[in-house]
């Protein structure tokens, strides 16, 4: 969530310098976020990985608070916006009106999911990542450099998250805590989809978004997140491993 917020503020900073459209800033934000990801992994995540999983959780939570407060120091806590001609543009599909920035964000997310899924399932690097995730000891016995896999996985995740932040800048106001709501919803989508299943996470993410919209429409916008929580509890009760989750293989 904090790296998504960081991507939005990176976009704001580069926009102030160049004045370019936010979508044209995606390559620059991707490069900067990759560098930040590498540094944060070396300084915070990797030392914790050498200890235990609990240390990793504590390190990443602390990193999130650090990023939030760093943004407050650099940009202040007042809400910010990036002016865009596309912010208010929409198109009609039958009786429904869809804002263009939301449609672009959806298409962009779909493209990134397809690319990521292809990389994980059709490349040797992706197979090495899945092998390391499934069984670290066996992967190392097969010659996979687990340390490098951890670095690349961390960097890829943060770069994709930052790109998502760029695509959300025409839609949302920038605040140091803007990533908090997304963090909760994304975690639920990943768990419901089944840990490690990209397609499941994407499908469940869409489903949770639809449920949030339905609840917000029939009641109030403030209760939209309630729809996500209720859906999560009900589905997780019947599918403890997630809808598309698989049993762990033991050898």
């Amino acid at each position: 969530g904090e790296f998504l917020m960081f991507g939005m503020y990176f976009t704001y900073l580069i926009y102030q310098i160049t004045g370019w459209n936010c979508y044209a800033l995606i390559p620059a934000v991707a490069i900067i976020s990759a560098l930040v990801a590498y540094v944060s992994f070396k300084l915070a995540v990797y030392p914790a990985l050498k200890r235990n999983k609990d240390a990793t959780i504590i390190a990443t939570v602390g990193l999130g608070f650090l990023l939030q407060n760093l943004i407050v120091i650099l940009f202040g806590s007042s809400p910010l916006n990036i002016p865009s001609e596309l912010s208010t543009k929409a198109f009609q599909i039958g009786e429904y009106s869809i804002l263009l920035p939301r449609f672009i964000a959806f298409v962009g997310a779909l493209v990134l999911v397809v690319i990521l899924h292809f990389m994980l399932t059709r490349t040797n690097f992706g197979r090495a990542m899945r092998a390391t995730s499934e069984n670290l000891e066996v992967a190392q016995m097969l010659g996979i450099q687990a340390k490098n896999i951890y670095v690349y996985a961390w960097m890829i995740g943060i770069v994709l998250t930052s790109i998502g932040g760029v695509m959300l800048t025409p839609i949302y106001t920038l605040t140091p805590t803007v990533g908090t709501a997304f963090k909760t919803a994304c975690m639920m989508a990943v768990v419901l989809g089944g840990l490690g299943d990209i397609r499941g996470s994407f499908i469940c993410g869409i489903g949770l978004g639809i449920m949030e919209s339905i609840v917000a429409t029939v009641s109030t916008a403030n209760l939209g997140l309630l729809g996500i929580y209720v859906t999560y509890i009900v589905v997780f009760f019947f599918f403890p491993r997630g809808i598309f989750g698989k049993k762990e293989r033991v050898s």
Side-chain angles (χ1 to χ4, degrees), residues 15-244:
Y15 171 81
Q16 293 296 316
I17 298 173
T18 63
W20 293 355
N21 183 283
C22 61
Y23 301 111
L25 302 178
I26 289 179
V29 173
I31 293 173
I32 295 174
S33 61
L35 294 175
V36 173
Y38 181 81
V39 173
S40 64
F41 182 88
K42 289 294 184 179
L43 296 181
V45 179
Y46 184 66
L49 278 175
K50 294 190 293 184
R51 296 177 178 270
N52 52 60
K53 293 183 178 180
D54 293 336
T56 307
I57 294 173
I58 294 173
T60 51
V61 170
L63 183 61
F65 285 116
L66 174 64
L67 293 177
Q68 281 190 9
N69 286 278
L70 182 61
I71 289 297
V72 172
I73 294 173
L74 296 177
F75 296 93
S77 57
S78 300
L80 301 174
N81 289 287
I82 299 179
S84 175
E85 297 178 355
L86 302 177
S87 297
T88 57
K89 290 188 177 181
F91 60 93
Q92 295 290 132
I93 298 182
E95 299 178 356
Y96 301 96
S97 177
I98 301 177
L99 286 174
L100 186 58
R102 293 183 179 273
F103 180 75
I104 294 175
F106 171 76
V107 173
L110 180 61
V111 170
L112 293 177
V113 167
V114 171
I115 293 174
L116 181 62
H117 180 69
F118 178 84
M119 184 201 71
L120 289 176
T121 58
R122 296 291 185 268
T123 66
N124 290 333
F125 174 70
R127 295 186 184 98
M129 289 183 66
R130 290 189 288 123
T132 303
S133 173
E134 184 170 326
N135 195 313
L136 176 60
E137 289 75 15
V138 174
Q140 290 177 321
M141 290 172 60
L142 295 174
I144 296 174
Q145 299 295 323
K147 178 182 177 182
N148 294 336
I149 295 298
Y150 283 139
V151 174
Y152 295 138
W154 178 261
M155 292 176 65
I156 290 172
I158 289 176
V159 168
L160 293 178
T161 303
S162 298
I163 293 175
V166 176
M167 292 188 290
L168 292 177
T169 51
I171 306 172
Y172 292 92
T173 300
L174 280 65
T175 64
T177 58
V178 67
T180 303
F182 293 102
K183 178 167 55 180
T184 303
C186 289
M187 180 193 70
M188 291 183 179
V190 170
V191 173
L192 289 182
L195 294 176
D197 193 305
I198 303 298
R199 293 170 297 179
S201 299
F202 184 75
I203 293 172
C204 288
I206 294 177
L208 291 177
I210 293 174
M211 180 57 64
E212 180 183 7
S213 298
I214 292 174
V215 174
T217 301
V218 300
S219 57
T220 63
N222 294 331
L223 293 179
L225 283 176
L226 179 62
I228 292 182
Y229 289 120
V230 172
T231 303
Y232 175 81
I233 294 172
V234 172
V235 175
F236 197 65
F237 179 80
F238 293 101
F239 300 93
R241 294 187 181 89
I243 297 177
F244 300 92

